Amino acid sequence: MKKYNIAVVGATGMVGRTFLKVLEEVKLPAESYTLYASKRSAGKKLTLMGKEYEVKELNENSFDGMDIALFSAGGATSEKFAPIAASKGCLVIDNSSAWRMDPEVPLVVPEVNPEDIKKHKGIIANPNCSTIQAMVALRPLQLKYGIKRIVYSTYQAVSGAGLGGYNDLKNGINGEPPQKFNHPIFSNCLPQIDVFLPNGYTKEEMKMVNETRKILGDDEMKITATTVRVPVFDCHSEAINVELKKPFDLEELRACLEAAPGLVVQDDIDNCIYPMACTAAGTNETYVGRIRRDESIDNGVNLWVVADNIRKGAATNAVQIAQKFIEMEANGELS
C-alpha cells in the first residue's frame, strides 16, 4: 500500500493534540509525520507513535512533499495556507469554519456522505462539532423515512470554546471571573455560542442549519436551532426533534439506528441507561437514546444524541476522512 507524508497543522492546540491520540489509534499508512504550529509554539516537543517530534513553524514551504494535511489552527490560518497546500498536491482536511460553506469544498462526515470525498479539489472541510454528531444519528432516518423538519436544542461543553472556555469553567469553580465567555459558566447555562447575527440567531445556530442542509443534500429542509453552552468540560449533548416524511414503527426505527455505522444506541429507560457526557468522553462513537415518538405531531420522533466534541466532533472525524480518502485511492475510486 502507498505510504503518505502527513502534516498536522495546529499540533499544539486542544484538537491538534487529540489528532495525535487518534492517529496513534487509527495508524494510517504513513511514511512520515510533520507537526506544525505558529511561531509562538514552534520548538515544542510532542510525542507520536512513541517518537518525539519538534514542532515546526508553519510557512509557505511547509507542504512541499506532503500528501495529507490535517488542519486545526483557526480560520485565518486555513484561509491562507490551505490553498497553498492544495496547490502543491497535498489534500487538506480542515477543521475550521473557513471552507465549510464553499460550494467547491466537500463537507464530510464519513458515515454519512463519504462519496462527497470524490468531489474534492484539494480541500475537504470538517463540519462543526455539533453538526457532526447530529448527522450520524439523522442520516439513517433520512434514508429510510425522509426528513421534513429538524429542531435542534444543544447542550455544549466548554471545550468547544477551546482552552479559554475550559479554563473559564475550571477557574469559575474557584470564583474567578470569566476570561473567554461574556458571563460565568460555572453553575450557569449560556444561551449564546459565537456572535449574534441580524436574524437573532447565533453563528453556531446557523452553522447547524446550513451545514445540515449541505451534508444531507437538501437545501429546502426546515431546520431551527438553539445552541447553549453548559458547565460540562467535554462532550456535547443534543435534544433533536425530527418530523419525518413517512409514518414509522418505533421498533423498526430503533433497529434502523442500531444498524447505522458509528452510532451506538443506549436506550434502556427501565435501568436509566441513556447517553451521557461522562460516559461518552474519550470515545470516537456517537451515542443515541431517549428514542420516543413525538405525540404532538404526525411522524415525529425525539432523540438524545451525545458525542465527544473534541474527538468525533473534530479530530476523529478528520482522521476518518483521511482514512476513507486513502481507502478510496487504494481502490481506484478517485480520479
Side-chain angles (χ1 to χ4, degrees):
M1 180 182 274
K2 176 182 173 181
K3 294 204 168 181
Y4 294 78
N5 296 311
I6 300 173
V8 177
V9 179
T12 58
M14 189 177 284
V15 173
R17 290 173 186 265
T18 308
F19 274 146
L20 305 187
K21 292 178 185 176
V22 177
L23 287 168
E24 288 195 339
E25 297 165 5
V26 173
K27 293 181 174 58
L28 299 176
E31 180 68 38
S32 70
Y33 287 103
T34 309
L35 312 186
Y36 294 106
S38 65
K39 184 177 182 179
R40 187 180 67 248
S41 297
K44 289 185 177 179
K45 304 288 179 64
L46 295 174
T47 301
L48 173 61
M49 309 285 187
K51 179 181 174 182
E52 188 177 77
Y53 289 82
E54 183 174 321
V55 178
K56 300 180 178 182
E57 181 183 352
L58 185 66
N59 61 55
E60 285 81 354
N61 300 315
S62 295
F63 305 101
D64 294 346
M66 292 293 165
D67 300 302
I68 298 172
L70 303 171
F71 271 61
S72 188
T77 299
S78 294
E79 285 174 6
K80 178 179 178 181
F81 286 100
I84 293 171
S87 73
K88 298 185 179 187
C90 176
L91 174 68
V92 172
I93 302 170
D94 181 45
N95 194 55
S96 80
S97 61
W99 302 98
R100 289 176 186 157
M101 296 313 299
D102 188 315
E104 298 294 308
V105 175
L107 185 64
V108 174
V109 179
E111 300 95 331
V112 176
N113 59 335
E115 65 283 353
D116 285 358
I117 291 172
K118 298 175 186 177
K119 303 173 187 174
H120 87 84
K121 296 180 180 178
I123 303 172
I124 297 173
N126 211 36
N128 186 40
C129 48
S130 51
T131 307
I132 289 173
Q133 65 190 70
M135 295 301 91
V136 177
L138 292 177
R139 181 61 161 173
L141 301 185
Q142 184 197 27
L143 292 175
K144 190 168 182 66
Y145 305 103
I147 292 176
K148 185 175 180 181
R149 183 172 187 254
I150 303 167
V151 180
Y152 290 125
S153 302
T154 75
Y155 308 79
Q156 295 181 219
V158 294
S159 54
L163 193 56
Y166 203 91
N167 287 337
D168 265 13
L169 178 53
K170 187 172 68 172
N171 297 334
I173 294 169
N174 301 319
E176 296 180 32
Q179 302 297 314
K180 174 70 176 180
F181 300 124
N182 294 327
H183 303 282
I185 186 63
F186 174 66
S187 193
N188 198 18
C189 295
L190 302 178
Q192 176 188 357
I193 300 179
D194 214 321
V195 297
F196 285 106
L197 300 172
N199 64 357
Y201 285 78
T202 64
K203 200 171 177 183
E204 180 81 2
E205 288 159 353
M206 293 313 299
K207 281 179 188 176
M208 291 198 75
V209 171
N210 295 325
E211 291 179 22
T212 295
R213 288 174 176 154
K214 181 172 180 177
I215 295 166
L216 295 183
D218 186 350
D219 291 337
E220 303 303 316
M221 189 177 286
K222 303 295 185 183
I223 309 169
T224 190
T226 301
T227 60
V228 181
R229 190 74 71 191
V230 296
V232 170
F233 283 108
D234 296 297
C235 298
H236 292 347
S237 303
E238 300 175 352
I240 307 178
N241 178 269
V242 192
E243 185 179 358
L244 301 171
K245 291 181 178 178
K246 298 177 185 176
F248 63 91
D249 173 81
L250 193 59
E251 288 310 308
E252 183 183 64
L253 183 145
R254 188 190 308 275
C256 174
L257 294 172
E258 287 173 341
L263 192 63
V264 177
V265 174
Q266 295 179 329
D267 194 30
D268 180 0
I269 56 175
D270 291 338
N271 293 296
C272 299
I273 294 173
Y274 31 71
M276 296 184 293
C278 63
T279 51
T283 68
N284 297 321
E285 290 74 30
T286 299
Y287 302 87
V288 62
R290 298 298 317 279
I291 304 164
R292 63 205 187 278
R293 191 178 292 276
D294 176 358
E295 297 177 346
S296 71
I297 57 168
D298 293 334
N299 308 327
V301 64
N302 287 300
L303 309 173
W304 177 251
V305 178
V306 180
D308 188 317
N309 57 296
I310 302 297
R311 278 186 168 254
K312 183 53 184 169
T316 298
N317 197 75
V319 173
Q320 287 172 332
I321 292 171
Q323 190 176 29
K324 193 69 183 177
F325 166 80
I326 290 168
E327 235 176 71
M328 287 177 159
E329 194 165 65
N331 294 335
E333 296 176 53
L334 301 176
S335 57

